[in-house]
Structures are given as structure tokens and as C-alpha cells.
Amino acid sequence: MGRKNVSQEKIIQAFLASAFEKSAGATSLSDIADYLEIKKASLYNHFQSRDAMYEATVYHCGKCIEEISFLPEKSLENIKTNKSTASQVFKKFITRYFELYDSEPLFQVYTFIRTEQYFNREALNIVQNELKKINDEVFSIIKVLTECGKLSNRNEKELKELASSITVVIIQQRDFYIATRKETVRQNPDCGAGSLFALPTDDKALSEAVKLVENLIKIIM
């Protein structure tokens, strides 16, 4: 093996890639070293142990997910000024949100953290914080849609219940979308790096999410 320019970030990326293929628990230091084409001992120049590497990967995933938003910046102002219906607004946001997960790094981050939530407290906190963030953003959208007359006026309790229902739909269908995409990638191992972009998109979960949200919105229109 030749001398490689290895950093903590590259080791974390290698950990994520291996965990995607065989799970985090089954990923060994040898797997990571082989992926990076370095000697296993070289990993200790960057991390004291495999546990330290794992914790750094969880932290990295948390930062990545923290930067993802269902509600793009300045979107609330746009909702007030454009002529889109409530259903059209949510369809646009849901489509954009699902498409974000077709980038390979985020795709691997998602599958890692959603799996590790059952084994790691910090991973569980990341998932719960993400859920709350999405719910808060959905509630903000509903409030603006109501204020500008695109949804019927309801009390705050009813609007919060609607936001929670929409959030559950988005998360469930996103999970299904990613799980389906992951299986597609596994069934096409020859695609290599960037495989998500080389494979056809499965719109079933996206279409189902949009349809279910539209049905929820119709209840209070």
C-alpha cells in the first residue's frame, strides 16, 4: 500500500460506506483500512480506538442532519406572495426534501443514524431532534397558509394536530423511500460510486406522501 493522505473525515466516510454495506456493528478496522487502502495501524494516528471512530461518525451524522431543513430559507415569505394552493406548497416541499436524500453522502448518513438509534443514545437523540425540527417547520407552514387564507382558520391545537399528522406521513414515507432505494443499490452492486444517480428513481413513496398530505389538508380546507 502506498502512502495515502488520510484524515479523520475520510476515515468517517469510510466507516459510513462500510456500515452501509454490512452494518456498523459488523464493520471492522480492517474493513475501513482496506477501503482507504492503508494499513490498519495507520488509523490510530487519527483515532485512539474503534469506539472513538464510531462516536465521531455519530457526531458527524448529527451535524449533517442538523443542516437539513424541510422548510427552505425565506419560503414562508414566498408562500404569502405566490398563488400556490396549500397542496401545491406541500408537494413542492416534500419533493425537494425527498430529493435531498438521493445524494450519496446524506443517503449513507441517514441509513447509519436511523439504524444506530436502537443501539446508541446519541443517535436516538439525533432522530428525535430531527422529528421535532420537521414538525416545527410543518407547523410554521400551516400557520402561514392559514393566515393568508389558503387553509381554513382553526385553533392552535387543531393546527398542531394537523402538523403532527403531516410530519408522521413525511417521515414514514421518506423512510420507505430510502429503504427502497437502499435495496435497489444493493441489487445493483456494479454501479459503484455515485450509484444513486445512475439508477432510476422510485417515485412510489414520494407520490404516496403527497397524496396522504393532500388528503389531510382537504379535511380543513
Side-chain angles (χ1 to χ4, degrees), residues 90-150:
F90 271 105
K91 180 178 181 179
K92 179 180 178 181
F93 288 160
I94 292 169
T95 301
R96 168 195 167 274
Y97 187 67
F98 276 42
E99 288 176 348
L100 287 173
Y101 286 87
D102 264 344
S103 64
E104 202 156 81
L106 188 56
F107 187 78
Q108 291 177 343
V109 163
Y110 163 85
T111 54
F112 177 86
I113 214 68
R114 298 295 290 193
T115 300
E116 293 309 300
Q117 68 174 311
Y118 302 107
F119 309 101
N120 180 275
R121 173 64 65 178
E122 184 55 35
L124 177 60
N125 289 339
I126 291 168
V127 171
Q128 291 176 333
N129 288 338
E130 182 204 26
L131 176 62
K132 183 181 183 305
K133 179 180 178 182
I134 294 173
N135 189 77
D136 289 345
E137 292 177 335
V138 169
F139 180 69
S140 295
I141 295 169
I142 291 172
K143 284 278 285 183
V144 170
L145 288 169
T146 302
E147 289 167 2
C148 60
K150 295 180 180 181

Side-chain angles (χ1 to χ4, degrees), residues 26-164:
T27 293
S28 67
L29 292 178
S30 295
D31 293 326
I32 297 166
D34 290 345
Y35 185 89
L36 294 169
E37 298 182 334
I38 61 173
K39 293 180 180 179
K40 185 169 71 172
S42 299
L43 295 171
Y44 291 104
N45 294 329
H46 302 276
F47 291 100
Q48 292 183 342
S49 65
R50 183 191 178 282
D51 286 347
M53 193 181 305
Y54 172 83
E55 293 300 330
T57 303
V58 171
Y59 178 80
H60 168 80
C61 290
K63 298 303 288 184
C64 289
I65 291 173
E66 193 177 285
E67 293 174 1
I68 300 301
S69 176
F70 179 76
L71 178 63
E73 189 178 355
K74 297 182 180 180
S75 292
L76 293 179
E77 287 302 316
N78 292 334
I79 292 172
K80 294 176 183 178
T81 57
N82 66 36
K83 297 181 179 180
S84 299
T85 64
S87 293
Q88 289 170 335
V89 167
F90 271 105
K91 180 178 181 179
K92 179 180 178 181
F93 288 160
I94 292 169
T95 301
R96 168 195 167 274
Y97 187 67
F98 276 42
E99 288 176 348
L100 287 173
Y101 286 87
D102 264 344
S103 64
E104 202 156 81
L106 188 56
F107 187 78
Q108 291 177 343
V109 163
Y110 163 85
T111 54
F112 177 86
I113 214 68
R114 298 295 290 193
T115 300
E116 293 309 300
Q117 68 174 311
Y118 302 107
F119 309 101
N120 180 275
R121 173 64 65 178
E122 184 55 35
L124 177 60
N125 289 339
I126 291 168
V127 171
Q128 291 176 333
N129 288 338
E130 182 204 26
L131 176 62
K132 183 181 183 305
K133 179 180 178 182
I134 294 173
N135 189 77
D136 289 345
E137 292 177 335
V138 169
F139 180 69
S140 295
I141 295 169
I142 291 172
K143 284 278 285 183
V144 170
L145 288 169
T146 302
E147 289 167 2
C148 60
K150 295 180 180 181
L151 285 177
S152 298
N153 193 28
R154 300 294 174 102
N155 63 49
E156 187 153 315
K157 181 176 181 293
E158 290 175 316
L159 295 182
K160 285 184 176 180
E161 288 174 351
L162 176 62
S164 295

